[in-house]
Amino acid sequence: MKGERVTVRQIVKHYGPVTAVDNVTVDVKAGEFLSLLGSSGSGKTTLLMMIAGFEMPTAGAIQIGTNDVTYIAPNKRNVGMVFQKYALFPHMSVRDNVAFPLRMRKMDRAQIDRRVEEVLAMVQLESFGDRAPAQLSGGQQQRVALARALVFEPPVLLMDEPLGALDKKLREQLQLEIKSLQQRLGVTVIYVTHDQEEALTMSDRVAVMSHGQVAQIGSPFSLYSEPASAFVADFIGKMNFLSAQYLGKAQSGLQVRLTESSTVSITRSLNGHIPELSPGLPVKAAIRPENISLSPRGQGGPNAIPGIVDTSIYLGTHNVMLVNVEGRRDLSLHIQVPVGQDIPFFARGDAVDILLQNDAIYLFPSKGDWQ
């Protein structure tokens, strides 16, 4: 099985006056695992349905391999499809469900039997062939749906929230199994999810969608470490946003005022987020919980911000803390503090110094639309 390239060019989809997908261009490499990540209404499932052929685009083009499939029927596209609700035939056995696509392609009986057994073994269901779907757990039914989608060796596999109905532990297990299977087979996967952790775990690249457009596309690492907008920064992982005022450049870095008495130097580049900054402009400073540390009040040094611990929750390897910034009633920070012998424990009401890692602070325009 060999994956094929999928090219989406300037795809638009209108439903009456509503634009569900707005001029999207995505190039999925052969054998790549790409996730379409976004909240409800972002356009991710509509885009997937157009690639599958269940929806026709208003404008644009879709190519699989060297073939333009924009207006070709779904059954002529040679793609596998896995849905959240399994879509298994309840009156057929597991074996017959998996064999169905091969029978539709009029393969001979011996080939069908051999291929079905191979794929059932691949998804660890070789001893379940005679059972009905109703006799299987949710995870087993999803494995059957995956086997049926793979049995005819499609070069492209489309998956629409396939693990959404499963419990957390089983979902995490199947994430790793699907990724391992995809790497072994080399099939191209386009995977729709609203779960950012799932997308980061499974994908080679992730396309973050918002309002029918791709807000940013990149590797999980690049999306997390270099978000192109405040929206992406907020959607991928956890992020603290601090309304601030830009003061200008100094030898120690970019100066940002958080409170009347607290100024922070930022040593990272702006990475194109704000091309030109004038002193006095309002900005949003953003920092992830793991890039903030705490020390007892008075021991934090010149960049320390005074705060009071509001909440501390023990989660085994780390404490999740909510710390209020003194002088800013509107500002509290979520902080992730590792548990260790050399790390002091802080309880509710403790006066602390908040230390922001200077090279881990992002600056974004202070806009209401969070772009």
Side-chain angles (χ1 to χ4, degrees), residues 94-168:
V94 166
R95 186 175 285 105
D96 287 340
N97 264 281
V98 176
F100 184 80
L102 303 182
R103 289 181 180 142
M104 292 297 99
R105 287 164 173 79
K106 302 189 184 304
M107 288 179 62
D108 68 61
R109 181 65 182 268
Q111 283 182 302
I112 290 175
D113 291 345
R114 183 176 67 254
R115 184 62 189 151
V116 168
E117 294 308 315
E118 287 174 357
V119 174
L120 285 177
M122 197 184 297
V123 297
Q124 302 171 41
L125 289 176
E126 54 264 57
S127 61
F128 291 80
D130 294 327
R131 296 194 187 184
Q135 295 174 303
L136 305 179
S137 68
Q140 289 168 336
Q141 290 185 56
Q142 195 56 284
R143 282 192 177 94
V144 176
L146 181 60
R148 187 177 61 184
L150 292 172
V151 71
F152 62 95
E153 299 185 315
V156 176
L157 180 62
L158 307 178
M159 308 184 80
D160 185 18
E161 303 266 13
L163 308 181
L166 306 178
D167 64 68
K168 180 175 169 54

Side-chain angles (χ1 to χ4, degrees), residues 185-252:
L185 297 175
V187 63
T188 303
V189 172
I190 303 177
Y191 189 101
V192 162
T193 181
H194 66 275
D195 186 326
Q196 46 131 315
E197 191 173 310
E198 184 168 273
L200 296 179
T201 297
M202 302 178 74
S203 311
D204 298 312
R205 287 190 303 156
V206 178
V208 181
M209 295 194 66
S210 174
H211 303 295
Q213 298 180 325
V214 175
Q216 186 175 352
I217 185 168
S219 68
F221 177 81
S222 67
L223 291 178
Y224 190 86
S225 60
E226 295 294 341
S229 66
F231 169 78
V232 176
D234 190 40
F235 200 82
I236 300 291
K238 293 180 172 60
M239 185 71 85
N240 292 289
F241 287 92
L242 302 80
S243 298
Q245 183 183 39
Y246 180 65
L247 299 180
K249 294 181 180 179
Q251 190 172 1
S252 58

Side-chain angles (χ1 to χ4, degrees), residues 293-301 304 307 344-346 350-355:
S293 58
L294 300 176
S295 66
R297 178 67 61 82
Q299 298 182 22
F345 174 78
F346 297 102
D350 285 350
V352 294
D353 280 343
I354 304 168
L355 308 174

Side-chain angles (χ1 to χ4, degrees), residues 240-370:
N240 292 289
F241 287 92
L242 302 80
S243 298
Q245 183 183 39
Y246 180 65
L247 299 180
K249 294 181 180 179
Q251 190 172 1
S252 58
L254 304 170
Q255 304 297 303
V256 175
R257 175 180 290 139
L258 297 177
T259 71
E260 287 298 322
S261 58
S262 299
T263 301
V264 175
S265 296
I266 300 175
T267 58
R268 69 178 295 119
S269 70
L270 295 181
N271 298 306
H273 298 313
I274 307 175
E276 295 293 335
L277 282 175
S278 300
L281 278 180
V283 292
K284 285 190 181 294
I287 187 166
R288 298 204 181 275
E290 66 269 22
N291 294 322
I292 306 174
S293 58
L294 300 176
S295 66
R297 178 67 61 82
Q299 298 182 22
N303 269 341
I305 303 167
I308 301 291
V309 175
D310 180 88
T311 307
S312 180
I313 302 171
Y314 174 72
L315 293 178
T317 58
H318 61 276
N319 290 310
V320 173
M321 309 183 76
L322 183 66
V323 180
N324 298 325
V325 175
E326 285 193 5
R328 287 284 301 272
R329 292 184 178 181
D330 63 326
L331 185 55
S332 298
L333 296 175
H334 283 89
I335 304 173
Q336 186 172 303
V337 180
V339 175
Q341 291 182 346
D342 299 328
I343 300 172
F345 174 78
F346 297 102
R348 177 178 172 83
D350 285 350
V352 294
D353 280 343
I354 304 168
L355 308 174
L356 308 181
Q357 188 176 317
N358 295 33
D359 61 356
I361 303 174
Y362 306 84
L363 285 184
F364 298 102
S366 185
K367 291 183 180 179
D369 60 5
W370 288 64

